[in-house]
């Protein structure tokens, strides 16, 4: 029966979805619901990936209509698809890279079951192998409070003490059968850190029309930023590996990330023998900030984001102009220039007689005085933010900031 349930696709789920592609629309729908629940004037932060992983762990033990409903909610066609995504997230996208100077990441799942009832072997195997979960028996019947505290200690350790309690008093009792939990910890350094001396106190304008003075980080570097109808998006990459000592910026490995207009942009992976050969396969962790043009435009931007399953991926910035360029050997009295665009076209024709092919590449530069229009990204009013792993599309954290002086929950 276990295999039959696994093979049977959900009646409500999407047909043949890509692995894990249900996470982003799930995240955006949940964000809208949480926004409505908390109210328009509250900050919000949550981990779509953590909620998704915990519900996927529940789905691994479900069947019938319950399984159908969970698969539809998570945007997956089968338990196997969810398990594949969980394995990929744990082993690759969220692998800890702190040893090489990258982000410190912890992704953990736990299954506690009543010591009076054993887990089914197939479920235990799925939890351990696909979700890398720890499975433990607990005395829910005789010592529910001790079991609750044990699970809270596990969460505290997994999150490096940032979350000390997930289960409130009374949530575990003598009738509790299982507790399924997920915990994620992330600590990453910007690829280009901000200068603390440049941080200044300025006004932040809230949705209710009031304003508060808060510290603003500032940078004059060229950034990954794009303008859209009614909002701007800024992408701040995290450092994925520590630069090797004795290497200059020219020794670093850069990936060709195709942007609009054929621009070639700097990727944020340093040269390393551990890097995959194909730059497109390297995990890339970034924070993306969605800033509405209107100071009170966050609610409508939230509605727009939740209206399309691919909204986040469709609006991730891919274009960035180089911070510096030395083209002084090209023109007399050039006054400093920027590389603006690289355009490429290629054609090939194969027929009975042979092959005919052609290619052309053109590079355009501009003088500093004619550099591309500067986009000022000033987050002085409510905005949305995402911490994403771009290759897998995993939304690790997301939320809204409507008042930086209040706690984000």
């Amino acid at each position: 029966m276990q295999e039959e349930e696994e093979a049977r696709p959900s009646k409500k789920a999407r047909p043949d979805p890509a692995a894990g592609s249900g996470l982003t629309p799930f995240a955006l729908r949940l964000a809208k619901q949480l926004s409505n629940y908390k109210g328009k004037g509250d900050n919000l932060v949550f981990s779509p990936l953590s909620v998704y992983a915990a519900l996927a762990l529940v789905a691994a033990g479900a069947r019938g209509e319950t399984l159908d409903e969970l698969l539809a909610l998570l945007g997956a066609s089968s338990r196997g698809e969810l398990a594949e995504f969980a394995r990929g997230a744990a082993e690759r996208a969220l692998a800890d890279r702190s040893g090489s100077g990258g982000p410190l990441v912890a992704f953990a799942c736990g299954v506690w079951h009543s010591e009076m009832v054993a887990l089914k072997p197939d479920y235990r195997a799925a939890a351990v192998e696909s979700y890398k979960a720890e499975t433990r028996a607990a005395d829910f019947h005789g010592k529910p409070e001790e079991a609750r505290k044990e699970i809270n200690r596990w969460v505290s350790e997994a999150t490096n003490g940032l979350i000390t309690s997930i289960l409130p008093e009374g949530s575990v009792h003598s009738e509790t059968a299982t507790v399924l939990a997920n915990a994620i910890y992330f600590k990453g350094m910007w690829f280009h850190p901000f200068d603390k001396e440049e941080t200044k106190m300025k006004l932040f304008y809230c949705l209710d029309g009031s304003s508060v003075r808060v510290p603003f980080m500032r940078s004059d570097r060229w950034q990954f930023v794009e303008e859209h109808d009614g909002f701007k998006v800024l992408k701040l990459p995290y450092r994925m590996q520590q630069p090797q000592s004795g290497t200059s910026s020219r020794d670093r490995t850069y990936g060709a990330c195709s942007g609009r207009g054929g621009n070639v942009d700097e990727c944020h992976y340093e040269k390393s023998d551990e890097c995959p050969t194909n730059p497109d396969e390297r995990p890339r962790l970034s924070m993306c900030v969605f800033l509405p043009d209107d100071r009170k435009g966050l609610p409508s931007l939230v509605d727009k984001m939740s209206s399309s399953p691919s909204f986040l991926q469709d609006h991730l910035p891919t274009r960035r102009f180089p911070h510096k360029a030395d083209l002084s050997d090209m023109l007399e009295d050039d006054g400093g220039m920027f590389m603006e665009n690289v355009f490429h076209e290629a054609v090939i024709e194969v027929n009975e007689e042979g092959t005919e092919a052609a290619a052309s590449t053109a590079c355009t530069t501009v003088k500093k005085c004619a550099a591309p229009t500067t986009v000022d990204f000033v987050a002085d009013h409510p905005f949305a933010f995402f911490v994403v792993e771009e290759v897998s599309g995993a939304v690790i954290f997301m939320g809204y900031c409507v008042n930086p002086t209040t706690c984000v929950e």
Side-chain angles (χ1 to χ4, degrees):
M1 288 297 294
Q2 181 86 5
E3 294 181 356
E4 292 178 2
E5 289 291 333
E6 175 61 40
R8 180 174 59 83
S10 166
K11 298 176 182 178
K12 301 179 182 180
R14 303 172 291 105
D16 300 325
S21 61
L23 174 58
T24 300
F26 169 80
L28 295 175
R29 292 196 309 270
L30 183 55
K32 184 176 181 180
Q33 291 297 321
L34 290 174
S35 175
N36 293 337
Y37 170 74
K38 289 178 66 66
K40 302 297 184 182
D42 294 325
N43 295 328
L44 170 70
V45 63
F46 70 102
S47 172
L49 180 58
S50 180
V51 179
Y52 194 89
L55 291 177
L57 198 54
V58 174
R63 61 173 58 201
E65 291 186 3
T66 300
L67 176 59
D68 287 339
E69 291 178 358
L70 283 169
L71 291 176
L73 173 66
L74 300 175
S77 60
S78 68
R79 291 192 298 216
E81 181 184 320
L82 292 175
E84 180 183 353
F85 178 71
R87 279 194 299 269
E91 296 175 358
R92 182 162 175 73
L94 296 182
D96 182 25
R97 292 178 173 81
S98 58
S100 58
L104 172 58
V105 183
F107 177 85
C109 291
V111 177
W112 289 262
H113 63 92
S114 171
E115 61 183 14
M116 301 175 67
V117 183
L119 292 175
K120 288 189 174 182
D122 286 349
Y123 180 78
R124 182 189 296 274
V128 172
E129 295 171 10
S130 298
Y131 295 88
K132 310 303 178 186
E134 303 175 37
T135 62
R136 303 177 184 177
D139 187 4
F140 293 140
H141 182 75
K143 300 178 180 178
E145 183 61 14
E146 289 186 15
R148 182 185 73 88
K149 291 180 178 179
E150 176 191 341
I151 296 171
N152 282 339
R153 282 194 296 270
W154 179 88
V155 170
S156 180
E157 292 176 4
T159 60
N160 201 31
L162 290 184
I163 299 175
T164 58
S165 177
I166 187 66
L167 297 174
E169 290 187 13
S171 59
V172 177
H173 46 79
S174 60
E175 299 301 318
T176 298
T178 63
V179 174
L180 314 179
N182 171 269
I184 295 177
Y185 176 76
F186 174 85
K187 184 175 183 179
M189 304 296 291
W190 302 124
F191 184 75
H192 290 298
F194 290 82
D195 185 349
K196 292 183 179 180
E197 294 184 358
E198 292 294 324
T199 299
K200 307 295 181 184
M201 298 295 292
K202 292 188 177 182
L203 289 178
F204 183 95
Y205 300 92
C206 303
L207 290 175
D208 61 4
S210 63
S211 61
V212 293
R213 289 185 63 82
V214 294
F216 276 66
M217 298 186 300
R218 182 178 179 276
S219 174
D220 288 329
R221 286 183 176 273
W222 291 103
Q223 305 286 355
F224 289 95
V225 62
E226 289 187 3
E227 295 181 289
H228 300 280
D229 183 19
F231 64 96
K232 303 181 185 73
V233 185
L234 169 68
K235 182 173 74 174
L236 297 171
Y238 294 102
R239 184 179 298 282
M240 297 304 293
Q241 286 185 306
Q242 185 69 25
Q244 297 179 1
S245 60
T247 60
S248 68
S249 59
R250 295 182 180 180
D251 295 325
R252 297 174 182 170
T253 299
Y254 296 99
C257 305
S258 178
R260 293 186 301 179
N263 291 282
V264 177
D265 301 311
E266 174 188 341
C267 283
H268 47 283
Y269 235 105
E270 305 293 349
K271 180 186 290 185
S272 170
D273 294 336
E274 299 177 0
C275 293
T277 303
N278 184 356
D280 292 336
E281 297 177 355
R282 299 169 180 168
R284 299 191 298 272
L285 289 160
S286 303
M287 172 174 280
C288 297
V289 180
F290 284 66
L291 180 70
D293 294 340
D294 187 346
R295 286 182 177 175
K296 298 183 179 181
L298 180 61
S300 60
L301 178 57
V302 171
D303 290 339
K304 184 181 294 187
M305 288 191 298
S306 60
S307 66
S308 170
S310 61
F311 185 91
L312 179 58
Q313 292 297 327
D314 290 345
H315 294 87
L316 287 180
T318 58
R319 182 179 184 179
R320 185 178 77 171
F321 291 95
H323 176 51
K324 296 179 180 178
D326 186 354
L327 303 175
S328 56
D329 283 346
M330 188 178 297
L331 296 177
E332 296 287 352
D333 191 25
D334 65 273
M337 293 190 296
F338 288 90
M339 175 74 78
E340 183 183 28
N341 286 303
V342 177
F343 300 95
H344 180 80
E345 289 288 342
V347 295
I348 186 169
E349 181 178 344
V350 179
N351 55 31
E352 294 83 354
E353 298 178 355
T355 301
E356 183 178 19
S360 176
T361 302
C363 304
T364 64
T365 67
V366 294
K367 291 187 176 182
K368 284 185 177 179
C369 60
T373 303
T374 300
V375 177
D376 289 329
F377 194 97
V378 183
D380 64 354
H381 54 277
F383 57 85
F385 61 89
F386 301 79
V387 175
V388 299
E389 198 291 300
E390 298 177 49
V391 176
S392 66
V395 183
I396 307 172
F397 294 95
M398 71 170 293
Y400 314 132
C401 177
V402 298
N403 186 339
T405 63
T406 61
C407 293
V408 180
E409 300 178 346

